[in-house]
Amino acid sequence: MAFAWYAEGVAPTGPYRHFGEAFITEPAPRDSGASFLTAHAAGIVGNGERTEPFMRLRFEVASTSSAEPARLVVTGDLREEWKLQPDGVVTDYSPLARHIERVGPHLNEYAARKRDGTPGFGVRAMLSSGSWLGAGRWRDLTYLHIGTYIGARTGPLRFGASDIAAGNSFSGHVPWGELNIRAGMEGGRPVRHVTGAWSETWELRSAATEWAPDRQIADFTAFG
């Protein structure tokens, strides 16, 4: 796993959202000045967004000593150039409404609840490999976060999460290893039990369909 991302915007055909992840699948060619990542992204629909397909992607990343590349080139089913905003703010952009209750057919959709009974709602849009986008409201504040993991396929995985802050919303992060997620069953339905920094249960509402990632990463799943 290299990174996960959330994208939103407004195109001539309407607002869009998608969630994706990129993987290191090959070493950077010697003296190439760049490395390449295999990636995919799934469109989020059901909250007023336009239809977004499942996308198979490739990232070109300049080989520098910087932890955050200043520029990413995206090819494949999407052709874009991403430029790093050092202060973390995209000026002259009005965010889409934070209200996300449905995620569409390309992601596993979970309803989240706090084990301590705290009022509120939450939805988890999970890629088949295990990264997720979380949205909802707790304690009169909205939240939007990205969760993912690090670790080798054959070793233990460490889960972490980071909020995407804007206005009246949560802003924080959970370091690697402070979230534990395990698959289980509850009332005959698949669930994810989340412990550690959070105490939540995620109940599967609908399973992803039309999942067709690159063969190099198709068999990777954090939940075996």
Side-chain angles (χ1 to χ4, degrees):
M1 170 67 69
F3 61 85
W5 78 92
Y6 164 72
E8 66 170 44
V10 179
T13 52
Y16 65 86
R17 288 186 171 102
H18 63 251
F19 178 57
E21 58 191 353
F23 295 82
I24 301 168
T25 57
E26 56 190 86
R30 185 172 296 177
D31 302 323
S32 68
S35 57
F36 297 91
L37 305 175
T38 302
H40 51 232
I44 296 173
V45 296
N47 312 279
E49 304 92 350
R50 72 177 188 183
T51 300
E52 283 275 281
F54 183 90
M55 295 175 284
R56 295 171 63 171
L57 308 170
R58 182 177 171 89
F59 282 85
E60 179 183 335
V61 185
S63 296
T64 68
S65 58
S66 172
E68 294 83 23
R71 175 177 172 269
L72 296 174
V73 176
V74 190
T75 57
D77 293 332
L78 184 68
R79 294 186 173 272
E80 293 182 337
E81 180 178 320
W82 300 359
K83 294 182 179 179
L84 179 67
Q85 304 298 299
D87 59 1
V89 177
V90 180
T91 57
D92 301 323
Y93 174 68
S94 298
L96 301 184
R98 282 292 179 97
H99 193 71
I100 301 175
E101 287 195 13
R102 295 293 177 185
V103 303
H106 303 304
L107 297 122
N108 293 319
E109 180 180 309
Y110 290 85
R113 68 176 187 274
K114 290 283 189 180
R115 293 188 179 186
D116 62 5
T118 303
F121 69 89
V123 63
R124 304 290 181 262
M126 182 177 285
L127 291 162
S128 290
S129 51
S131 299
W132 75 91
L133 178 74
R137 175 180 291 271
W138 301 118
R139 299 176 182 171
D140 298 322
L141 291 176
T142 61
Y143 66 83
L144 184 66
H145 70 249
I146 289 175
T148 187
Y149 51 88
I150 57 175
R153 288 182 182 223
T154 56
L157 298 177
R158 292 182 289 160
F159 290 89
S162 182
D163 287 310
I164 302 172
N168 184 30
S169 60
F170 285 101
S171 177
H173 76 282
V174 180
W176 300 117
E178 293 192 13
L179 283 177
N180 303 305
I181 304 177
R182 60 180 178 85
M185 298 292 291
E186 190 173 282
R189 296 180 63 85
V191 297
R192 300 281 188 250
H193 297 292
V194 185
T195 57
W198 300 344
S199 180
E200 297 181 339
T201 297
W202 304 348
E203 182 177 344
L204 183 67
R205 291 199 301 204
S206 61
T209 59
E210 303 176 37
W211 180 257
D214 187 278
R215 60 180 178 79
Q216 297 180 87
I217 53 178
D219 65 340
F220 189 89
T221 170
F223 300 102

